[in-house]
Amino acid sequence: MQNDSFNKINVLHYHLELVLEDIDSTVNCTAEVLYHLGNKNIAPDVQFTIEGELKNTDEADNIFYSQIKSLEKELVAENIPDSHGHVSPEMEPIRLLAWVASGYVMWQNSTENTKFQFAQIKHVKQVKRSDEYLEFDYMILLHEMVSQEIIPWQMTVLWHPQHGVQVTQDSRQPKHASE
Amino acid sequence: LDQVAPSPIQPAVCRTLSPNQILFPFSFQLDFWINPSTPALPVDVRIPANGVQAVKAFLESHGIEYSILIEDLQVVLDKEKQDMACSQQRDRSSNSFNYGTYNTLDSIYAELDHLASEFSNIVSKLKIGESYEKRPLYVLKFSTGGRNRPAIWIDAGIHSREWVTQASAVWIAKKIASDYGKDPSITSLLNKMDIFLLAVSNPDGYVFTHTTNRMWRKTRSKNQGSQCVGVDPNRNWDAGFGGPGASSNPCSDSYRGPRANSEVEVKSVVNFIKNHGNIRAFLTLHSYSQLLMYPYGYKCTKPADYAELDALGKAAANSIRSLYGTTFTVGSICTTIYQASGGSIDWSYDYGIKYSFAFELRDTGRYGFLLPVNQIIPTAEETWLGLKTIMEHVRDNSY
C-alpha cells in the first residue's frame, strides 16, 4: 500500500512583470519573488532583471553630497513631507534617501500578507563621520496597508555617491500610547 | 563687497579661469544688484554657481571683504513661487475659503454655512447627529423640491487622516451648487433626485489629525478596559461584523469596536439612511490607492448585481481617467484590496441600496495620506467625473 504523500508547500513563487518610472522615461523589469511560508522571519528572495539601463544621476548625487559635506552643523529636520505634503527642495534628496533605505526595511519585513508603503520622515539627524560616507539616523513612519497600522521605524543609513545606500541598523519602534 | 551666491543646484556652465586672468564682470555674467559707485559704498552682486569659487578667490586674494546675503537664491525663488500660488488660489475664490488647501474643521464648517446661504435655493444644511466629543455631524442637502425624492448619499473623511477626501467633498459641494442650472447633467439629476453630502464623517478624528497626530484614522471614543482610544469606523457597520478582516484589539487601527454601530458617527448615518427610506446610491470617499470598489469586503463572493456594478465601476473609472490620466482599478473590496468586515458599503448594499461604491482617491503611495495641496483640486475634479457617471446611471435606472 502506498501512503498518500503530501506535497508540503513551503514557498510561494510569484513572477512579476513591472514597469519602473525613471527620471523621464520608463523601463521594463521582471522579477521572481519567493516567500518562505515556513519561516516568517526570512525575507522573501527577490531576483530581478532590468531591461536596459537606469539613467545616470551622478551630477545630482555629487551636488547633494557636497552640499551636506559643506554644512557647518549636522543636518537635523523633521516631518518630511509635512502635513500638507510639502517637501522643501533642499530636503528632497533627504526624502529620496529615506525612501530608498525604507525599501530595504520593507523588503526584510515583508510576508505574503503585508503591504508596506513609506509614509513620512518624523525625524532625521545627520551623524558626523570621519570617513567619506554620509550617515543619517532616521525615524520614519511606515504604513502597513493590510492592518492599516502606522509603524514607527528607526534606521541608520549610510550613503556615498559611488558606494550607494546601506541600512546598517534598523528597529521597529513601539507606537506611543497617547496617539 | 557683499556677495550673493545662487543655487549650486542649477546646472553650471563650466568655464576655466586661468590664475593670471583679470576678472571682468561682463565675461563672467556677474549680475550687480547694487552697482559699483564709489569706493566707500558696498556692492551687491549675484554670482552664478560655477563662478562662486573663482569670485571668492579673487576677492580674498585682493583683500576685499565680503559677506553672503543669500546662500542659495533658487531656494528663495521656490518659496516665493509657492507663496504666490497659495495666495493666488485664495484670491480666486469669492470669499476667503481656499479650496486648494487643507482646511481646519471650523473653516470647513464655516464654508458649508456659506454654501447653504449663497445657494439657498438648492442647498440646505442638516445636522444628523453628534460625534463622540459632541461635534455636529453636518450633511448638505441638494434639492430642487419634491417630497422625499430618491436620493444619493455621498460621504468623505470617515478615516480622518485621508485629508484629500474631506477637501474634495467640499469642492464637490461647491461644484454641485454652482453647476445647477448650467450643466445639463447635474441639472436634470437634481430635478429628479436629491443629493446628501457628509463632508466630514469623523470630525473628532479630523481635529485630532490637525492638533496631535496627522496619521490618526479612527474615532476618538474611549475603549473600556484599555488605554487605547478609538474604533475604526469602517469596521463598525453591521455587515459581517466580527468576521475576518477587522481586529478585536482596541489598540489596533482596524479595531471593529465592542459591537456593530457602537460608534455614534456610524449610528447617525445608519439612522439617517433608514429614516429617509429612499436612498438609491451610497458612495463613500477614502484615500489612498486609486481604486473604485463595490461589495463585498466581508466575504469574497460576488454580489448579485456584480455584472452591473462592475460595468458601472469601469465606466466611472474611464470618466476619471479622461481628465488627467489618473487610473483607478475596479473590483470588489475583497478581491481588490483585502477581506474587511464591518464596512459601510457592504451594509448599504445588504440593506438594499444597490449602487454602493467605495472610492480610494490619489495617490498610489508616493505621498499617500500626505498628498501635496496642488493635487487637491485635480483630485476633486476627476473624482467628480466618476461620481457623476454613477449618479447619471442611478438617475436613469430606477429600481
Side-chain angles (χ1 to χ4, degrees):
Chain A
M1 281 240 326
Q2 229 180 359
N3 283 337
D4 281 345
S5 59
F6 288 97
N7 286 327
K8 195 141 195 230
I9 302 171
N10 63 355
V11 288
L12 219 57
H13 180 173
Y14 288 91
H15 170 78
L16 303 178
E17 290 179 12
L18 43 143
V19 178
L20 302 181
E21 263 186 46
D22 202 346
I23 296 167
D24 55 9
S25 58
T26 60
V27 178
N28 290 333
C29 178
T30 58
E32 312 298 318
V33 179
L34 253 70
Y35 289 104
H36 300 276
L37 299 182
N39 187 344
K40 295 283 164 103
N41 292 326
I42 306 179
D45 287 341
V46 180
Q47 305 294 324
F48 67 92
T49 310
I50 299 180
E51 290 167 33
E53 277 175 16
L54 298 176
K55 296 275 157 79
N56 184 292
T57 58
D58 287 353
E59 190 181 334
D61 288 347
N62 288 326
I63 287 168
F64 171 55
Y65 183 76
S66 11
Q67 278 183 311
I68 302 295
K69 274 292 186 190
S70 66
L71 291 175
E72 280 167 15
K73 266 177 41 175
E74 283 76 46
L75 181 145
V76 174
E78 48 185 34
N79 292 333
I80 301 166
D82 68 14
S83 285
H84 289 223
H86 178 248
V87 181
S88 65
E90 61 267 21
M91 285 302 151
E92 181 64 7
I94 297 286
R95 182 186 76 93
L96 292 171
L97 183 60
W99 177 279
V100 173
S102 72
Y104 170 81
V105 171
M106 292 185 230
W107 167 40
Q108 292 297 301
N109 292 275
S110 285
T111 70
E112 207 208 347
N113 298 309
T114 58
K115 182 173 175 178
F116 288 104
Q117 295 277 8
F118 174 85
Q120 193 184 32
I121 299 169
K122 283 307 285 178
H123 188 80
V124 58
K125 191 184 64 182
Q126 184 189 357
V127 178
K128 201 169 177 63
R129 286 183 74 91
S130 50
D131 63 16
E132 50 176 7
Y133 283 85
L134 299 184
E135 180 176 337
F136 297 95
D137 188 8
Y138 281 98
M139 183 65 71
I140 62 168
L141 297 179
L142 295 181
H143 175 214
E144 200 292 291
M145 299 193 78
V146 178
S147 64
Q148 286 297 334
E149 296 297 331
I150 300 289
I151 308 171
W153 213 290
Q154 178 272 334
M155 44 183 208
T156 306
V157 181
L158 289 188
W159 180 73
H160 183 278
Q162 274 81 59
H163 306 313
V165 182
Q166 250 186 294
V167 177
T168 55
Q169 197 252 331
D170 71 275
S171 66
R172 185 180 175 135
Q173 302 296 302
K175 237 171 30 169
H176 286 149
S178 64
E179 291 172 345
Chain B
L1 191 73
D2 289 333
Q3 176 189 256
V4 171
S7 168
I9 293 173
Q10 272 173 5
V13 174
C14 286
R15 293 186 67 155
T16 51
L17 196 63
S18 76
N20 294 326
Q21 199 170 342
I22 296 168
L23 189 65
F24 287 116
F26 297 116
S27 65
F28 218 87
Q29 299 166 50
L30 292 179
D31 173 17
F32 285 89
W33 287 10
I34 294 179
N35 282 303
S37 50
T38 79
L41 291 179
V43 167
D44 286 359
V45 59
R46 180 184 65 80
I47 299 164
N50 58 310
V52 173
Q53 294 313 316
V55 171
K56 276 186 173 171
F58 174 82
L59 295 172
E60 282 158 20
S61 71
H62 285 76
I64 300 173
E65 275 179 41
Y66 65 89
S67 60
I68 298 173
L69 296 178
I70 300 173
E71 186 84 44
D72 182 347
L73 185 61
Q74 194 59 53
V75 169
V76 173
L77 293 175
D78 286 337
K79 170 121 196 352
E80 185 181 69
K81 197 160 131 179
Q82 218 164 38
D83 290 342
M84 281 171 61
C86 274
S87 60
Q88 246 173 20
Q89 281 185 320
R90 256 197 302 273
D91 291 341
R92 273 192 206 116
S93 52
S94 56
N95 60 5
S96 61
F97 186 83
N98 183 352
Y99 284 90
T101 192
Y102 296 115
N103 290 288
T104 61
L105 185 71
D106 288 345
S107 205
I108 291 176
Y109 277 7
E111 185 61 9
L112 297 182
D113 280 334
H114 179 255
L115 290 173
S117 101
E118 190 184 340
F119 299 96
S120 54
N121 56 327
I122 53 164
V123 184
S124 55
K125 190 181 84 170
L126 313 172
K127 179 173 159 181
I128 66 163
E130 285 181 347
S131 68
Y132 183 81
E133 292 174 344
K134 303 279 179 270
R135 293 183 174 88
L137 298 169
Y138 288 134
V139 164
L140 287 186
K141 175 182 182 182
F142 301 84
S143 178
T144 59
R147 251 176 30 121
N148 201 240
R149 282 182 176 168
I152 306 207
W153 168 270
I154 307 173
D155 68 66
I158 196 170
H159 290 137
S160 38
R161 61 191 180 203
E162 298 167 9
W163 279 14
V164 74
T165 67
Q166 299 95 333
S168 294
V170 189
W171 184 94
I172 286 165
K174 174 76 182 268
K175 183 72 173 161
I176 297 172
S178 321
D179 271 13
Y180 178 74
K182 302 194 178 92
D183 171 65
S185 173
I186 203 66
T187 304
S188 80
L189 191 117
L190 282 176
N191 286 341
K192 292 172 72 173
M193 305 182 72
D194 295 341
I195 300 174
F196 292 97
L197 175 63
L198 175 59
V200 188
S201 310
N202 178 5
D204 297 348
Y206 191 60
V207 170
F208 199 72
T209 59
H210 282 268
T211 59
T212 312
N213 180 356
R214 175 60 178 84
M215 297 293 178
W216 189 260
R217 166 183 168 90
K218 302 189 286 182
T219 61
R220 291 294 301 163
S221 57
K222 297 207 184 346
N223 291 310
Q224 211 182 33
S226 173
Q227 298 264 43
C228 293
V229 174
V231 166
D232 183 342
N234 207 30
R235 301 287 185 277
N236 190 246
W237 299 71
D238 193 3
F241 185 86
S247 174
S248 54
N249 179 354
C251 297
S252 166
D253 253 344
S254 57
Y255 175 49
R256 58 175 161 250
R259 63 193 172 278
N261 298 322
S262 63
E263 301 313 282
V264 64
E265 293 83 356
V266 170
K267 190 80 177 104
S268 302
V269 175
V270 170
N271 286 345
F272 177 84
I273 303 271
K274 284 183 169 178
N275 291 336
H276 185 279
N278 205 8
I279 305 289
R280 299 312 177 95
F282 186 97
L283 311 173
T284 183
L285 303 185
H286 290 257
S287 78
Y288 56 94
S289 287
Q290 291 170 208
L291 307 172
L292 215 177
M293 299 176 290
Y294 45 82
Y296 286 106
Y298 71 85
K299 56 186 177 180
C300 290
T301 51
K302 288 179 180 168
D305 301 290
Y306 162 77
E308 185 185 358
L309 294 179
D310 191 69
L312 180 53
K314 291 195 160 100
N318 283 339
S319 302
I320 292 172
R321 194 176 66 238
S322 72
L323 195 56
Y324 297 112
T326 308
T327 55
F328 273 59
T329 303
V330 179
S332 72
I333 295 174
C334 194
T335 59
T336 309
I337 26 174
Y338 41 50
Q339 194 174 12
S341 58
S344 64
I345 69 166
D346 287 356
W347 171 80
S348 63
Y349 184 78
D350 281 347
Y351 184 69
I353 300 172
K354 175 163 62 158
Y355 299 109
S356 292
F357 287 93
F359 289 66
E360 292 275 0
L361 306 185
R362 293 194 195 181
D363 60 11
T364 54
R366 174 168 304 185
Y367 289 95
F369 301 121
L370 308 179
L371 194 70
V373 297
N374 63 3
Q375 291 197 47
I376 294 174
I377 292 180
T379 300
E381 288 173 329
E382 69 195 10
T383 303
W384 171 237
L385 295 184
L387 291 171
K388 247 200 333 179
T389 299
I390 294 173
M391 296 198 296
E392 286 159 2
H393 184 92
V394 178
R395 174 196 66 200
D396 301 337
N397 291 273
S398 53
Y399 65 98

